[in-house]
Amino acid sequence: MQEKIIILDFGSQYTQLIGRRVRELNVYSEIHPFHHLPEIDDSVKGIVLSGSPFSVLSKDAPPFDFDAYRGKLPILGVCYGAQLMAHQLGGRVAPSNTREYGRANLMRVNSAHELMHGIADQSQVWMSHGDTIQSLPTSAELIASTEDIDVAAFHLQGEETFGIQFHPEVYHSTDGKQLLQNFVVNICGCAQNWTPKAFAQNTIEELKQTVGKDKVVLGLSGGVDSTVAAILLHKAIGTQLHCIFVDNGLLRKNEFESVLEQYQHLGLNIKGVNAKQRFYAALKEVTDPELKRKAIGKTFIEVFDDEAHLVKDVSWLGQGTIYPDVIESVSATGGPSATIKSHHNVGGLPDFMKLKVIEPLKLLFKDEVRRVGRSLGLDENLLGRHPFPGPGLGIRILGEVTEEKVRILQEVDHVFVEGLKKEGLYDDVWQAGAMLLPVQSVGVMGDERTYEQAVALRAVSSTDGMTADWCHLPYAFLGKVSNQIINQVRGVNRVVYDISSKPPATIEWE
C-alpha cells in the first residue's frame, strides 16, 4: 500500500505547489477539497491544511474537524490552516495592523524543535495574510516569529500538530523544503520510496489489472504526455493498444509526418488520420476561446469514435491528461479555488461514444511525466520537447481559425523554434510558440506600404506550467528572428515579444 500525505485544499493558489514539494521528497501526495476528506487508512501518514482566500473570521470560512484527527495523525496547518487551528482550539485570530505580503525573515527560531530543525534566524519565508494569530491555544508553544508578527510557527505540545503562518512550498521560502522534509520524513515517518521508476512499475501493473484483455484506443499528439501514457499502456497490454495520431490541421509545420515516423520506431501500433478539413469546418466563424476549445475537443471525440468503430471490441479511450489540466478545469479537485479554462481532454464523454476513459498520468505534473519517461528509457530529444497545447495552433490564432492563418502561424512558429535550437537556447526555455493576433498593422516593404498581420512570440520558464516567467532571450536573437519572420513569412509585417508572467497572465493567450 503506497504511503501518502493528504493535502486539504481550502482554495489557496499555492495548494498544488505543496503537492509538488512533497513529491520532490519522493513521497506520494494527494490533494482533496476540504469538504471531501478521503478515507483515512494505514497508508495516510499525515495531513497538510492549505492556505485560503477566506478569513477564519468569516461566517462562510471553510471548517475542519481537528478533534477527529488530532493525536492520530501528524497535522501541519499552513497560513489559513494555522489560523484555523488557533481559532478553533482556543487561540485568538484578528485582522492585523501589520499585515505581511511577500518576503519576511524568521526570528526567535527554536531550531532544536523537530519541525524547525536546520532552520535558523533570518531564514527568508514568503507571507500572504491579512489576519494574524494574536494569541495561541493554551497547550501551544511558540517556535518562530518574524519582525512584524509574533506567531510565525507553533506546536501543540503533547501531539504532532503544528501551524506555520508562512508558505514553505513557494520558491521564495529558502528553507521551505527543509521544513517540509522535517514534517513529512522525520515527523510523519515517510520512507521516500515514491520514485519515477516505482510509479511506472505500479502504474503498469494497475493498467494490466484494470484493462485486462480489453482493447484501448489512445490519441497521440507527439508531445511528452501522450507519448509516456502510450508507452505505459504498451508495456501493460502490448498490441491491445491502438494508437491514433490525428492531423487536426493545427499542428506545427511538418509535425504530422515526422511524429508518425518517430512513433513507428517506438514499436507502437499507430494509425495516422488526416482530419484537417473536419476541424476547419468545426471552427468556421468561431471566435470565442472557450467555444474554440470545445469545438476542437468535440471534433477529437468524434474522430476517435469513428476510428474506434474500425477496431473491433474496443472498450477504453486512453488519454495523456496530466494534473495541471485537471486542476485548471475542475477547480482544484472540487475545492473553492477558481476555474481558469477548460481542457479538451478533461471531463466526461458523450453517451454515444460508449468508451471508458483511462488516464495513466492524471496525477502527475509535467516535470514528473518527464522523469517517468526517462525511467522508461525514452529518448532525451523526445522528453525535452516543449509542451504543446492539445487544441494546437487553434488557441494561438486569436479570432476565427482559417487554413491560411494556420499556414502563416506554422511558418512563424517554425522560424522561432528552429532559431532557438540553432542558437542553443531551446533547452533554456520551458515552452515557446507564436500567437497570430487579430490585428493588422501598417508597414513598409520595398518602398511600398503594407497592411499585414502582427504576431507575438512567447517563451517562458517553468517547471510544471502552474506558474511561469517570461524568458529573457538575448536582444540580438529576438532581432534576428523578427527579421527572418518578416522577410520569410508572407503576410506578416510586425513581430512583438510577450513579457507577461503567469500569473497574472496565462501561458497561452486563449
Side-chain angles (χ1 to χ4, degrees), residues 239-264:
T239 56
Q240 293 167 234
L241 174 65
H242 295 259
C243 297
I244 300 170
F245 181 39
V246 176
D247 186 354
N248 60 5
L250 305 170
L251 302 175
R252 285 176 160 153
K253 184 179 180 180
N254 300 326
E255 189 168 23
F256 185 61
E257 296 76 14
S258 63
V259 169
L260 263 182
E261 182 180 358
Q262 185 179 44
Y263 280 139
Q264 287 167 353

Side-chain angles (χ1 to χ4, degrees), residues 488-503:
Q488 296 175 18
V489 182
R490 176 172 47 85
V492 175
N493 70 354
R494 190 174 299 270
V495 178
V496 299
Y497 186 56
D498 183 349
I499 58 170
S500 309
S501 62
K502 176 186 179 180

Side-chain angles (χ1 to χ4, degrees), residues 444-459:
V444 178
M445 293 183 180
D447 296 327
E448 293 183 5
R449 178 185 182 275
T450 63
Y451 192 57
E452 296 181 333
Q453 299 288 151
V455 296
L457 305 183
R458 179 82 156 133

Side-chain angles (χ1 to χ4, degrees), residues 430 458 460-463 465-470 500-503 507:
W430 191 77
R458 179 82 156 133
V460 299
S461 59
S462 182
T463 55
M466 296 302 301
T467 59
D469 198 8
W470 63 279
S500 309
S501 62
K502 176 186 179 180
I507 294 176

Side-chain angles (χ1 to χ4, degrees), residues 152-259:
F154 64 90
H155 168 224
L156 296 185
Q157 299 179 78
E159 58 187 271
E160 294 177 322
T161 305
F162 312 87
I164 54 175
Q165 184 61 76
F166 54 92
H167 290 272
E169 68 271 23
V170 303
Y171 171 79
H172 303 289
S173 290
T174 52
D175 291 321
K177 185 175 182 180
Q178 178 65 56
L179 185 143
L180 288 173
Q181 179 170 314
N182 291 342
F183 178 73
V184 171
V185 180
N186 299 341
I187 295 171
C188 296
C190 293
Q192 296 183 278
N193 58 5
W194 192 73
T195 62
K197 185 176 181 180
F199 172 85
Q201 292 172 341
N202 292 338
T203 300
I204 290 168
E205 288 304 313
E206 289 174 5
L207 290 171
K208 286 179 181 178
Q209 295 176 16
T210 301
V211 176
K213 295 184 178 181
D214 293 344
K215 294 179 181 178
V216 179
V217 173
L218 172 71
L220 287 170
S221 68
V224 176
D225 303 335
S226 64
T227 302
V228 173
I231 295 300
L232 287 169
L233 279 162
H234 179 68
K235 287 183 175 294
I237 61 174
T239 56
Q240 293 167 234
L241 174 65
H242 295 259
C243 297
I244 300 170
F245 181 39
V246 176
D247 186 354
N248 60 5
L250 305 170
L251 302 175
R252 285 176 160 153
K253 184 179 180 180
N254 300 326
E255 189 168 23
F256 185 61
E257 296 76 14
S258 63
V259 169

Side-chain angles (χ1 to χ4, degrees), residues 142-388:
L142 181 69
I143 53 178
S145 305
T146 71
E147 183 177 351
D148 290 325
I149 61 170
D150 288 333
V151 181
F154 64 90
H155 168 224
L156 296 185
Q157 299 179 78
E159 58 187 271
E160 294 177 322
T161 305
F162 312 87
I164 54 175
Q165 184 61 76
F166 54 92
H167 290 272
E169 68 271 23
V170 303
Y171 171 79
H172 303 289
S173 290
T174 52
D175 291 321
K177 185 175 182 180
Q178 178 65 56
L179 185 143
L180 288 173
Q181 179 170 314
N182 291 342
F183 178 73
V184 171
V185 180
N186 299 341
I187 295 171
C188 296
C190 293
Q192 296 183 278
N193 58 5
W194 192 73
T195 62
K197 185 176 181 180
F199 172 85
Q201 292 172 341
N202 292 338
T203 300
I204 290 168
E205 288 304 313
E206 289 174 5
L207 290 171
K208 286 179 181 178
Q209 295 176 16
T210 301
V211 176
K213 295 184 178 181
D214 293 344
K215 294 179 181 178
V216 179
V217 173
L218 172 71
L220 287 170
S221 68
V224 176
D225 303 335
S226 64
T227 302
V228 173
I231 295 300
L232 287 169
L233 279 162
H234 179 68
K235 287 183 175 294
I237 61 174
T239 56
Q240 293 167 234
L241 174 65
H242 295 259
C243 297
I244 300 170
F245 181 39
V246 176
D247 186 354
N248 60 5
L250 305 170
L251 302 175
R252 285 176 160 153
K253 184 179 180 180
N254 300 326
E255 189 168 23
F256 185 61
E257 296 76 14
S258 63
V259 169
L260 263 182
E261 182 180 358
Q262 185 179 44
Y263 280 139
Q264 287 167 353
H265 289 318
L266 290 173
L268 296 176
N269 179 16
I270 184 168
K271 178 182 179 181
V273 179
N274 186 337
K276 287 183 183 180
Q277 297 308 318
R278 192 164 173 177
F279 280 87
Y280 293 151
L283 290 166
K284 188 175 182 180
E285 299 182 355
V286 179
T287 58
D288 179 86
E290 276 295 284
L291 293 180
K292 283 200 290 185
R293 284 179 176 270
K294 292 183 187 304
I296 293 167
K298 180 176 182 291
T299 307
F300 260 113
I301 295 296
E302 292 171 351
V303 170
F304 283 133
D305 186 55
D306 289 346
E307 294 301 321
H309 278 97
L310 302 178
V311 181
K312 187 178 180 182
D313 298 326
V314 66
S315 302
W316 297 86
L317 174 67
Q319 295 192 129
T321 309
I322 63 172
Y323 209 18
D325 297 341
V326 174
I327 58 184
E328 287 191 344
S329 293
V330 297
S331 203
T333 62
S337 49
T339 297
I340 307 301
K341 59 191 175 185
S342 64
H343 286 261
H344 81 281
N345 58 339
V346 177
L349 297 172
D351 291 339
F352 70 79
M353 195 162 185
K354 308 299 183 188
L355 290 181
K356 295 171 285 187
V357 176
I358 192 160
E359 299 167 311
L361 308 175
K362 68 179 180 180
L363 293 178
L364 295 187
F365 291 95
K366 176 70 73 173
D367 55 326
E368 294 174 323
V369 175
R370 286 198 170 97
R371 290 200 291 270
V372 169
R374 195 167 288 117
S375 75
L376 293 169
L378 289 178
D379 186 88
E380 285 295 330
N381 289 328
L382 190 153
L383 294 174
R385 287 190 65 181
H386 290 176
F388 190 62

